[in-house]
């Protein structure tokens, strides 16, 4: 829909696509799906965001990290945390703190498929 501002899910950080059924209440839409409404970010998600920030703080300006590095700091069984880590990264992109890269180029984290890298926003 033309003229609708970009809106991002408070849970997963993905861009929310406008739907006609939300037309009357578009200003109050915060989640992209019922699943995201049920699985709001909790302590684990905030810890992942914190680990991403601390890893980037420890690196040189412009250096990147892999999301798995943050997941590994949170749990020995880190693989199941990868989607939550990517969601944490998307939320940090929305807040303007970081950028997501693929092949050295900044990409939209809502549509990025495959391996990504994370760096501080420039």
């Amino acid at each position: 829909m033309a003229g609708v501002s970009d809106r991002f899910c408070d849970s997963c950080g993905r861009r929310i696509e406008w739907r006609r059924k939300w037309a009357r209440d578009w200003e109050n839409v915060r989640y992209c799906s019922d699943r995201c409404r049920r699985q709001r970010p909790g302590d684990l998600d905030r810890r992942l965001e914190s680990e991403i920030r601390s890893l980037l703080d420890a690196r040189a300006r412009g250096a990147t990290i892999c999301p798995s590095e943050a997941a590994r700091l949170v749990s020995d069984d880190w693989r199941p945390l990868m989607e939550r880590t990517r969601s944490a990264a998307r939320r940090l992109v929305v807040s303007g703190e970081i950028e997501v890269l693929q092949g050295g180029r900044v990409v939209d984290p809502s549509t990025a498929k495959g391996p990504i890298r994370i760096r501080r926003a420039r």
Side-chain angles (χ1 to χ4, degrees):
M1 176 179 168
V4 175
S5 64
D6 281 340
R7 204 172 282 282
F8 297 91
C9 180
D10 286 352
S11 181
C12 70
R14 288 189 175 100
R15 180 174 281 108
I16 298 175
E17 299 296 327
W18 186 85
R19 297 178 189 166
R20 187 185 311 179
K21 71 179 186 176
W22 291 339
R24 286 188 220 153
D25 200 30
W26 180 243
E27 294 303 315
N28 296 318
V29 173
R30 295 180 50 208
Y31 302 101
C32 64
S33 66
D34 290 334
R35 177 183 170 268
C36 281
R37 185 183 288 81
R38 286 188 305 268
Q39 295 181 351
R40 296 176 186 164
D43 292 338
L44 177 62
D45 302 290
R46 299 295 174 224
R47 185 166 172 216
L48 287 166
E49 290 174 11
S50 176
E51 293 297 348
I52 290 170
R53 286 185 194 104
S54 65
L55 283 166
L56 290 171
D57 288 344
R59 304 277 167 93
R61 182 138 172 82
T64 64
I65 64 166
C66 179
S68 66
E69 293 177 59
R72 289 170 202 252
L73 291 174
V74 171
S75 174
D76 290 335
D77 188 19
W78 58 273
R79 289 185 192 276
L81 296 178
M82 284 307 297
E83 183 52 38
R84 288 179 90 157
T85 307
R86 288 175 72 112
S87 292
R90 285 190 295 267
R91 287 191 300 274
L92 292 173
V93 167
V94 171
S95 70
E97 294 182 56
I98 66 168
E99 297 173 327
V100 170
L101 295 93
Q102 278 187 323
R105 291 186 302 236
V106 176
V107 296
D108 179 1
S110 295
T111 58
K113 303 272 191 245
I116 61 170
R117 301 288 294 176
I118 301 169
R119 74 173 177 209
R120 286 272 180 206
R122 292 188 172 180

